[in-house]
Amino acid sequence: MLSLMKLVSYLLISFVMFGAFTACKSKDPILNLKPDNRKTAQLLNELNDNRFAPEFLSAKASVKFKRDEATNSFKANIRMQKDSIIWMSISAVGYEAARLMLTPDSIFLMNRTERNYYKGNLDYISEKLDINLSFQMVQNLLLGNAVGLDSLDNIKRSNAKDSYLLSSLNKRKVKQLKQKPEKFDQNEVFYNNWIQPDYLRVVKISIFDLRTDQSALFKYSDYKPIEQQQVAHQINIAIQAAQTAALDIDFSRISIEDELTFSFRIPSKYERIEQ
């Protein structure tokens, strides 16, 4: 069995690790409209206007994590303040086992089962885990928003069967990357976003980090309306790295709130985990 600390670390890593290029169909499209030929700039503007970005959000989820032969299941209560805080309480067998809080520059983790805690900055965690840990990336992946589409100059657009595909790498270069990876900048990160055409919601995201050769694929399904927006209530993540892993997140509730608190009091007897 994985230790709780490693389990929470993998949960966090799952939202920021990078994905392989695949073209499988999303299992649960919202409708069956076909993508049209609107201009890429127009599509990006509409996608940005349609981002799911509430000021405060709370959610409850069941999470199943599998790495090799080890499987863990737990419940998670999640609270978010836009661009500021991601807070998570993790429970197993009816009791809180850990609490996690992420801010744009810091990470806090309290392990109740082992009575210890970690407090540090994201740069250190990124270096230790060899990933590009980003608050904005975690936030967007949790909310089902597109990632890696900041620069119009780098975006390649095509139409898949049931979705728009916005990518930082076109099909020809994908083939070149597989055949001759040494010709590419080893620090490059490549993004793919599959966008469902009628509600302009992401149904799949893949990102590829050439430097670490890590891969993961995020699939979004079970869309339900929340205040005039369609929001995914299931996220399935497949990870390819030194070890393969899978993470399934099933939201039983997602609510937009007027305000939330983010309690994170560490008992005085808890031992700090040093960097």
Side-chain angles (χ1 to χ4, degrees):
M1 296 288 287
L2 293 173
S3 71
L4 179 63
M5 190 66 74
K6 287 184 178 179
L7 179 61
V8 175
S9 298
Y10 268 100
L11 176 63
L12 184 59
I13 291 169
S14 297
F15 290 109
V16 292
M17 285 183 64
F18 304 106
F21 294 97
T22 63
C24 56
K25 181 180 178 182
S26 171
K27 70 175 185 179
D28 187 21
I30 303 171
L31 292 176
N32 293 315
L33 297 184
K34 303 298 182 181
D36 57 25
N37 293 317
R38 71 187 72 181
K39 294 183 178 180
T40 301
Q42 177 188 353
L43 179 59
L44 288 171
N45 287 334
E46 293 174 352
L47 188 62
N48 186 62
D49 291 340
N50 196 51
R51 292 175 69 85
F52 183 52
E55 194 64 34
F56 291 95
L57 176 144
S58 67
K60 290 185 177 182
S62 297
V63 183
K64 183 177 181 180
F65 175 83
K66 183 176 182 180
R67 187 189 65 167
D68 296 333
E69 299 303 318
T71 301
N72 296 82
S73 298
F74 56 91
K75 303 290 186 180
N77 285 324
I78 302 168
R79 299 177 184 178
M80 300 177 64
Q81 182 177 357
K82 180 181 175 182
D83 299 331
S84 300
I85 300 173
I86 298 172
W87 179 99
M88 189 180 303
S89 173
I90 296 172
S91 300
V93 201
Y95 296 93
E96 184 181 58
R99 190 171 292 191
L100 170 74
M101 186 166 68
L102 188 68
T103 69
D105 59 3
S106 301
I107 180 172
F108 305 85
L109 175 61
M110 178 168 55
N111 187 335
R112 293 197 181 278
T113 61
E114 298 179 14
R115 296 180 176 272
N116 55 27
Y117 70 97
Y118 174 83
K119 180 170 67 174
N121 60 67
L122 294 188
D123 290 340
Y124 175 80
I125 295 294
S126 295
E127 181 180 344
K128 293 294 289 184
L129 298 179
D130 199 24
I131 58 174
N132 294 317
L133 184 61
S134 161
F135 178 92
Q136 201 68 33
M137 179 75 77
V138 176
Q139 178 177 260
N140 282 331
L141 290 172
L142 273 172
L143 297 176
N145 293 322
V147 297
L149 302 180
D150 298 328
S151 174
L152 179 61
D153 294 337
N154 296 329
I155 295 174
K156 309 298 185 294
R157 177 271 178 87
S158 60
N159 287 354
K161 182 178 180 181
D162 295 314
S163 59
Y164 301 107
L165 173 57
L166 296 173
S167 174
S168 62
L169 198 65
N170 61 33
K171 293 181 179 179
R172 179 177 59 83
K173 286 193 173 182
V174 169
K175 185 176 181 180
Q176 291 176 350
L177 175 62
K178 292 179 179 178
Q179 295 175 343
K180 298 180 179 180
E182 68 278 1
K183 289 190 174 183
F184 289 78
D185 182 350
Q186 296 300 303
N187 291 318
E188 285 195 82
V189 177
F190 303 115
Y191 300 87
N192 278 332
N193 293 263
W194 285 262
I195 311 298
Q196 203 274 346
D198 50 320
Y199 290 114
L200 294 180
R201 299 300 297 159
V202 172
V203 292
K204 188 167 56 177
I205 296 174
S206 72
I207 318 163
F208 180 64
D209 188 338
L210 190 59
R211 176 180 59 88
T212 60
D213 195 29
Q214 294 177 343
S215 65
L217 178 68
F218 297 79
K219 292 183 180 180
Y220 299 85
S221 59
D222 191 20
Y223 277 84
K224 298 176 183 178
I226 297 180
E227 294 195 5
Q228 299 182 341
Q229 284 190 291
Q230 294 288 333
V231 180
H233 282 61
Q234 289 185 357
I235 307 174
N236 303 103
I237 306 166
I239 301 169
Q240 294 290 332
Q243 294 176 306
T244 60
L247 191 73
D248 297 324
I249 304 172
D250 189 351
F251 291 98
S252 59
R253 180 181 63 81
I254 300 176
S255 301
I256 296 175
E257 310 288 353
D258 293 329
E259 192 171 357
L260 289 169
T261 59
F262 302 89
S263 174
F264 206 93
R265 187 183 67 83
I266 300 171
S268 59
K269 293 183 178 181
Y270 277 35
E271 180 181 355
R272 180 169 181 172
I273 300 173
E274 299 297 333
Q275 295 185 353

